[in-house]
Amino acid sequence: MQAAEDRSACAQSDDHGRSLADRPTAHLSTEGEQREPGPDQGQTHQEREQAWPPSSQEETSEEKVSPETEELPTTLLDERMLPAPLHDEAEIDLFPGHERELVDLATVPTTVLGLAKGQVRESRQGRRTLLDRRLAQQLRRIRERRRGRSQQERKHHRFRTYLSLAVLLALIVGLLPPVGAALAAYSAYSNVKGLAEDGVRHLMNVKDLLTLDKSNPLAALEADKLQRARQEFRQAGADFLQLQQLVERTDVRDAIQSFAPEYASSLDMARHLVQVALDVSRMGEEMSGVGLLAASIIHGSPLSSNDKSKPLLTAQDVTTVQGSLVHALYYIGDIEEQMRAVDLKQLPILNAHQREQITSIVKALPQARQQINQVQQLIPLVSWLLGVDGHRRYLLQTMDNAELRPGGGFTGQYGVVDVQNGVVGTLALRDVAKLDYAGNGFQMGRQAPPGYSWMHMGNFGLRDSNVSGDYPTTARINIQVFEDEGGGPVDGDIAFTPNFIAHILDVTGPIVVKEYGETITSQNLADRLHYYQQDPAGIARQEQITGKSLHDARKAFTSLVAKLLLDKVRHLPVSKLLDIVKGAVKDIQARDLELYFTNPAVEAWLVQQGYSGAINSFKNIDGFHVVQANISVNKASQYVHSTFQDTITLDAQGGATHNLTIILDYDQRGPVYGFDAYSDYIRVYAPAGSQFIDGGGFDSGQPVCSAGRSSTQSPPGTGTSSPSSKQPIAGSKCDSYNYIPPDGSRYCPSGNYALGPRYQNPPVDSVGPPTALQSDLPGRAMWGGLTVTPKNCTSYIRLSWYVPHAHINPKDPSNIYSVLIGKQGGMVPTVDITIDATALHLKGVSTLHYHSDIHKDQVITLKGPQTAAKATHQARAATGSQSGPAAMVAPATAARLAGFPLLAQPFTIPTPAVTTSGRGR
């Protein structure tokens, strides 16, 4: 291409040169013609020369020629005859013999010589011819030189171009690696940021999918949401895995360190953060799988199917869950380790909201680890309970608290429920009498176990085996009696009062029993059950509807209600089932639902959580626990309200003196289906080492009168709770059954102190101190005995004892002294506590008074004046009460404060505080 350009330039130069060779004469003649225009303009050049007349100037003027230059004729060379580059200067060889030099044509001397006309014409013609030849030669030389110079200049230009290109290429080659690395570094950082943002987006999507609702924690266990969350975790993991591979590359890190050092620290932290993200993604994917398994169990409902061929939970499922939890703990540990090297504020890939969320999640990791550890402990226990590793069989007992017994009530019905692989079998309740009197004769003449001889009903069976307020003790007796009576071995004992069923009805709504035209609610449940179980009219109606005999029909209505209730529970949504579980936890705390299992690990967990129903051992706190047992053979407990009034006096030696009065207020407002008198065997448990002082109001076991003798004095107690062995002579007139105890332990507003038909033979015993002084539970002191309260009367049972080491802490103003009051199942007592701390001589602390109903074991704490003021403010803020002194907290207020620290104002100021721990209904 360059050669073609050179040839084109030469051709143009030749044409240009030829036009210049012809130009001089043409230009001169044209100039002359322009000076002398005339009619001969159309003549040729030769004709014009021959006919050209000389002008007057030519006649008078001649060209002057220097002698030295006579042989060198000159002419006037117009600069327009030369090419444009030669206008100013030109190298012209017009002077032979002289040294060649650059001549300025404007300075060349010219002389005009005068010639004769003919000579002028010849001379001019010859001169022009010679000049034309020489000029043509010079122009050719100029053109050649110019061509050569142009070629040389082009060569120089090409050389400079090549040189510049070479230099530029060298620079490019030299700069290409660092520039390329810088571009690669920036590109890598952009890829890191893009992948990170994409992965974080997936994790944020999971957060939106699995929103947690404190009121309904199971809302997140929806299979569709869990599947989508699992996919988001999987996609996030893929993004973060690519990101990890990118940020771990040595060349990328080196390039960013060299050419983008401002990104180097961020990239280093990103390496840690990407591992965190990978841990979260992998843990989330695994835990989503666990959630899907839980969702299938919960939404499948262990109660919704009796088909054992379709297990809800298998051993493989349990192994998978355990493995996922182990992995989760590893991931949590690694996340905490990686986050120590991360400063979220320096990561541009996160916005402020995301940083805040990640920070909150990291802070919650220790709690998450603790919860996972707890779940790990629960998995084998739950697996055992659900029969994953084998068939489970549990005894169920109803406890009628209208006939109060130590565990919560009289057992009128029982059932056995089978559980295997998470599937609960069919449940049916049966009349306990059909077990106790099954015809095998085992129960006939059977007596209560040692330590419970006061339960002298005869024919001791499952219906009466609820003899201890410590439920694990009672449950072991129940299981043994049930197996002895032919019920077979069981893996646990579950007992519940009508209160538990009523709380379920609050969730499910009323139950319509079409066959009987009844609608059962939580309010009328106990009344309607008693009607059909105890009232002759109700029993007759059952016989009529079922077509069965008395013993088979008597509990038919109760069994039908249980069947309808269970069927309704089976079809409840998960949110309602959760409400039942929440209520069940409160019922466990109130001992209206009691659980015992033969698996030591399961039972140990119940004890640890306070769900075992055991009586406190009072090893680290002072306190007492009252246990009552209605052995009246009636349903009068529903009309008896118990109040525990205790005055506690603290001394400077760290001891506490208790003066307890148990008030039984019997107001019979309906049928009791038995004897009117209320016989209540009462035991009071206190810390081991407590010293009994005095007592009163207990049945002494000695009749007030016998044949021919009457006495108003109470004979000394015999220490036994057995019926009196002194029988009056038949026909003797002894009106002792209307006996008024002189110690004021009974008060009947109507003046009728008669105990009713049961106590006419044998007669009424005198009252006195407790007859039972030996505890049936190891590690606890106990005093008790039988008490009898006439219909619509009030009994006052007194006990006093001293606790040498009452755990008094005068130097701890937040807990100077605490007392625990235990609650028995099947009842809601009122406690009225007065703590006299005068002897401690603490500034601002003297006497405290507390009054409230309790719904679970309750702890009352005496505090110092500073903490009292704070407790007062908190309690008033919680209740919205007005400021001002108050002597006690009313029962209604205490009920509203269930689950919060409670306060009672003392009689003196400044005010110490009392708080109650625990949560009631």
Side-chain angles (χ1 to χ4, degrees):
M1 179 179 292
Q2 185 64 38
E5 291 177 356
D6 292 344
R7 289 193 298 271
S8 176
C10 291
Q12 293 176 3
S13 178
D14 291 340
D15 294 340
H16 189 56
R18 283 192 296 271
S19 63
L20 288 174
D22 298 333
R23 261 176 96 177
T25 56
H27 181 72
L28 292 175
S29 70
T30 302
E31 187 180 289
E33 292 169 0
Q34 289 176 353
R35 287 195 301 266
E36 297 178 9
D40 57 350
Q41 288 181 1
Q43 296 178 357
T44 63
H45 177 67
Q46 186 176 1
E47 293 175 343
R48 284 195 301 271
E49 285 184 345
Q50 293 177 358
W52 190 11
S55 62
S56 57
Q57 183 180 0
E58 289 176 343
E59 292 178 352
T60 58
S61 301
E62 293 182 357
E63 292 181 359
K64 299 179 180 180
V65 181
S66 171
E68 292 80 6
T69 60
E70 182 177 353
E71 297 296 324
L72 298 173
T74 62
T75 184
L76 183 61
L77 194 61
D78 193 343
E79 66 179 357
R80 288 174 297 174
M81 298 172 63
L82 300 176
L86 300 178
H87 285 173
D88 297 328
E89 296 178 342
E91 187 178 357
I92 304 173
D93 189 11
L94 297 179
F95 305 98
H98 292 271
E99 184 177 356
R100 182 175 297 177
E101 59 180 343
L102 189 63
V103 179
D104 186 355
L105 296 180
T107 62
V108 175
T110 58
T111 304
V112 181
L113 300 177
L115 297 176
K117 184 176 182 180
Q119 292 176 339
V120 170
R121 284 196 299 269
E122 292 177 0
S123 175
R124 183 177 296 171
Q125 184 176 5
R127 189 169 54 251
R128 286 177 180 169
T129 301
L130 178 61
L131 182 60
D132 287 343
R133 286 197 302 270
R134 290 186 177 180
L135 183 59
Q137 292 174 357
Q138 292 298 326
L139 290 175
R140 279 195 298 270
R141 292 192 189 97
I142 292 173
R143 286 196 302 272
E144 290 174 358
R145 291 173 182 171
R146 182 180 177 185
R147 185 183 299 112
R149 188 178 298 158
S150 297
Q151 292 177 353
Q152 188 175 9
E153 289 178 355
R154 282 196 296 272
K155 290 180 180 179
H156 291 168
H157 177 70
R158 284 196 296 270
F159 175 76
R160 288 193 299 270
T161 301
Y162 295 153
L163 182 60
S164 299
L165 290 175
V167 173
L168 179 61
L169 182 61
L171 290 174
I172 292 175
V173 171
L175 293 176
L176 185 58
V179 171
L183 293 174
Y186 179 78
S187 175
Y189 177 78
S190 299
N191 290 338
V192 167
K193 183 178 180 181
L195 287 171
E197 290 176 345
D198 194 39
V200 170
R201 179 177 56 81
H202 287 301
L203 295 181
M204 292 300 124
N205 290 342
V206 173
K207 179 180 178 297
D208 295 335
L209 279 173
L210 303 181
T211 53
L212 296 180
D213 184 359
K214 293 183 179 180
S215 62
N216 185 14
L218 300 181
L221 294 180
E222 296 183 13
D224 180 61
K225 289 184 177 180
L226 287 169
Q227 287 284 10
R228 291 164 57 191
R230 194 176 191 181
Q231 183 63 26
E232 293 286 353
F233 277 125
R234 185 177 291 114
Q235 292 176 351
D239 288 336
F240 291 127
L241 183 59
Q242 295 181 42
L243 187 60
Q244 186 184 54
Q245 294 171 351
L246 185 60
V247 299
E248 292 292 344
R249 285 174 52 181
T250 305
D251 56 340
V252 172
R253 293 203 306 269
D254 293 344
I256 292 178
Q257 181 66 39
S258 300
F259 301 99
E262 64 275 16
Y263 299 141
S265 60
S266 297
L267 183 64
D268 185 59
M269 284 189 293
R271 292 177 56 247
H272 296 282
L273 192 59
V274 74
Q275 183 60 51
V276 170
L278 265 176
D279 291 338
V280 172
S281 302
R282 291 167 177 169
M283 179 172 62
E285 185 176 355
E286 284 198 59
M287 298 310 294
S288 296
V290 174
L292 285 169
L293 175 61
S296 67
I297 295 174
I298 292 174
H299 293 286
S301 178
L303 298 175
S304 65
S305 174
N306 296 323
D307 186 1
K308 297 182 180 179
S309 63
K310 298 179 180 179
L312 288 178
L313 187 65
T314 65
Q316 181 61 41
D317 295 333
V318 173
T319 301
T320 300
V321 173
Q322 289 175 324
S324 297
L325 293 178
V326 171
H327 295 166
L329 289 176
Y330 165 77
Y331 290 134
I332 289 175
D334 191 53
I335 289 171
E336 290 178 323
E337 181 66 25
Q338 298 293 334
M339 288 303 297
R340 293 189 184 99
V342 175
D343 184 359
L344 295 176
K345 296 180 180 179
Q346 298 185 16
L347 287 176
I349 61 177
L350 300 175
N351 57 42
H353 180 62
Q354 291 171 343
R355 293 189 188 100
E356 182 179 353
Q357 287 182 323
I358 293 176
T359 301
S360 63
I361 291 173
V362 171
K363 290 181 179 179
L365 289 179
Q367 183 180 1
R369 179 188 291 106
Q370 182 180 3
Q371 292 175 347
I372 290 176
N373 288 331
Q374 292 175 353
V375 172
Q376 283 183 315
Q377 296 175 1
L378 287 176
I379 285 179
L381 308 183
V382 174
S383 300
W384 185 88
L385 291 171
L386 294 179
V388 173
D389 59 346
H391 175 237
R392 297 285 172 265
R393 196 166 179 261
Y394 302 118
L395 172 66
L396 268 65
Q397 294 178 264
T398 64
M399 296 189 298
D400 185 0
N401 58 346
E403 190 172 352
L404 186 64
R405 293 295 173 86
F410 170 81
T411 297
Q413 291 177 302
Y414 77 98
V416 176
V417 60
D418 297 308
V419 181
Q420 188 169 9
N421 291 326
V423 179
V424 179
T426 303
L427 172 63
L429 293 178
R430 300 177 177 89
D431 188 348
V432 71
K434 299 182 70 174
L435 175 70
D436 288 344
Y437 299 96
N440 55 20
F442 180 83
Q443 79 289 346
M444 302 304 294
R446 181 185 178 109
Q447 299 298 317
Y452 306 101
S453 59
W454 52 266
M455 179 60 75
H456 49 75
M457 294 293 182
N459 305 327
F460 183 83
L462 186 63
R463 61 181 180 172
D464 297 320
S465 60
N466 189 344
V467 292
S468 175
D470 184 75
Y471 188 70
T473 300
T474 283
R476 286 190 289 267
I477 297 174
N478 292 340
I479 290 174
Q480 185 61 53
V481 171
F482 179 74
E483 186 173 352
D484 291 344
E485 291 186 331
V490 293
D491 299 295
D493 186 15
I494 302 172
F496 52 88
T497 70
N499 293 335
F500 171 64
I501 303 299
H503 296 149
I504 295 178
L505 284 171
D506 288 337
V507 176
T508 64
I511 295 176
V512 178
V513 187
K514 296 180 181 179
E515 294 86 345
Y516 293 84
E518 297 276 5
T519 299
I520 304 302
T521 66
S522 59
Q523 288 75 28
N524 69 0
L525 172 66
D527 177 69
R528 301 321 294 162
L529 292 180
H530 288 150
Y531 171 77
Y532 284 101
Q533 291 177 7
Q534 304 293 334
D535 194 286
I539 296 173
R541 189 176 183 192
Q542 291 179 92
E543 291 177 340
Q544 179 184 7
I545 292 175
T546 62
K548 297 179 180 180
S549 62
L550 172 64
H551 293 291
D552 292 330
R554 183 167 172 263
K555 302 290 180 72
F557 179 81
T558 303
S559 298
L560 180 58
V561 170
K563 180 178 179 298
L564 293 174
L565 177 62
L566 183 59
D567 184 66
K568 202 164 187 177
V569 171
R570 290 181 189 273
H571 295 89
L572 285 177
V574 175
S575 59
K576 294 293 186 180
L577 290 175
L578 183 62
D579 291 338
I580 291 178
V581 171
K582 291 179 180 178
V585 172
K586 293 181 179 180
D587 288 324
I588 290 174
Q589 294 172 336
R591 291 186 172 86
D592 285 320
L593 172 62
E594 295 177 301
L595 310 171
Y596 174 83
F597 299 101
T598 59
N599 186 318
V602 176
E603 186 61 23
W605 184 86
L606 291 176
V607 172
Q608 181 184 10
Q609 301 300 317
Y611 296 158
S612 68
I615 292 179
N616 197 288
S617 61
F618 307 107
K619 291 181 179 180
N620 302 309
I621 191 172
D622 190 14
F624 62 91
H625 191 120
V626 178
V627 177
Q628 301 171 245
N630 176 4
I631 56 175
S632 312
V633 192
N634 64 22
K635 305 294 181 183
S637 298
Q638 58 188 318
Y639 306 122
V640 177
H641 182 74
S642 300
T643 299
F644 308 145
Q645 192 175 72
D646 189 19
T647 299
I648 307 171
T649 303
L650 307 181
D651 59 39
Q653 290 73 39
T657 301
H658 291 258
N659 289 282
L660 173 66
T661 300
I662 300 172
I663 303 173
L664 302 179
D665 187 7
Y666 181 16
D667 181 16
Q668 189 183 115
R669 301 182 302 274
V672 296
Y673 305 106
F675 299 110
D676 284 332
Y678 188 68
S679 299
D680 189 1
Y681 194 86
I682 297 178
R683 288 166 292 174
V684 177
Y685 295 87
S690 297
Q691 303 166 6
F692 175 73
I693 298 175
D694 194 11
F698 294 92
D699 191 305
S700 66
Q702 300 293 325
V704 173
C705 69
S706 60
R709 184 173 70 87
S710 176
S711 175
T712 58
Q713 300 297 322
S714 299
T718 62
T720 176
S721 60
S722 62
S724 173
S725 60
K726 298 181 179 181
Q727 301 294 334
I729 300 174
S732 65
K733 296 182 178 180
C734 182
D735 59 357
S736 61
Y737 50 82
N738 200 26
Y739 166 71
I740 302 176
D743 60 356
S745 58
R746 294 175 190 162
Y747 171 69
C748 299
S750 65
N752 182 8
Y753 285 81
L755 297 178
R758 183 183 183 189
Y759 287 90
Q760 291 185 17
N761 187 18
V764 178
D765 292 339
S766 61
V767 296
T771 57
L773 303 177
Q774 184 68 37
S775 177
D776 59 308
L777 296 177
R780 304 163 183 87
M782 188 274 287
W783 314 280
L786 178 66
T787 68
V788 182
T789 305
K791 177 182 176 180
N792 296 327
C793 296
T794 302
S795 290
Y796 300 89
I797 294 91
R798 297 179 295 101
L799 279 173
S800 60
W801 68 93
Y802 178 71
V803 182
H805 305 288
H807 305 284
I808 301 174
N809 307 297
K811 297 182 179 180
D812 183 3
S814 65
N815 184 7
I816 297 174
Y817 169 77
S818 293
V819 59
L820 183 150
I821 298 93
K823 176 197 171 296
Q824 180 180 350
M827 63 178 297
V828 179
T830 299
V831 297
D832 189 275
I833 307 297
T834 300
I835 301 175
D836 185 358
T838 305
L840 300 181
H841 302 291
L842 297 176
K843 183 177 180 181
V845 179
S846 57
T847 304
L848 174 149
H849 183 225
Y850 172 80
H851 182 103
S852 176
D853 294 342
I854 63 172
H855 301 269
K856 62 164 294 180
D857 292 358
Q858 204 75 51
V859 176
I860 301 171
T861 301
L862 174 68
K863 297 177 179 290
Q866 294 181 353
T867 54
K870 184 177 180 180
T872 303
H873 175 74
Q874 291 176 346
R876 287 173 180 166
T879 61
S881 61
Q882 300 296 323
S883 60
M888 62 184 178
V889 177
T893 303
R896 289 195 302 270
L897 287 174
F900 297 90
L902 298 183
L903 168 72
Q905 298 281 356
F907 294 108
T908 59
I909 296 190
T911 305
V914 57
T915 61
T916 61
S917 67
R919 296 185 299 274
R921 291 201 64 84

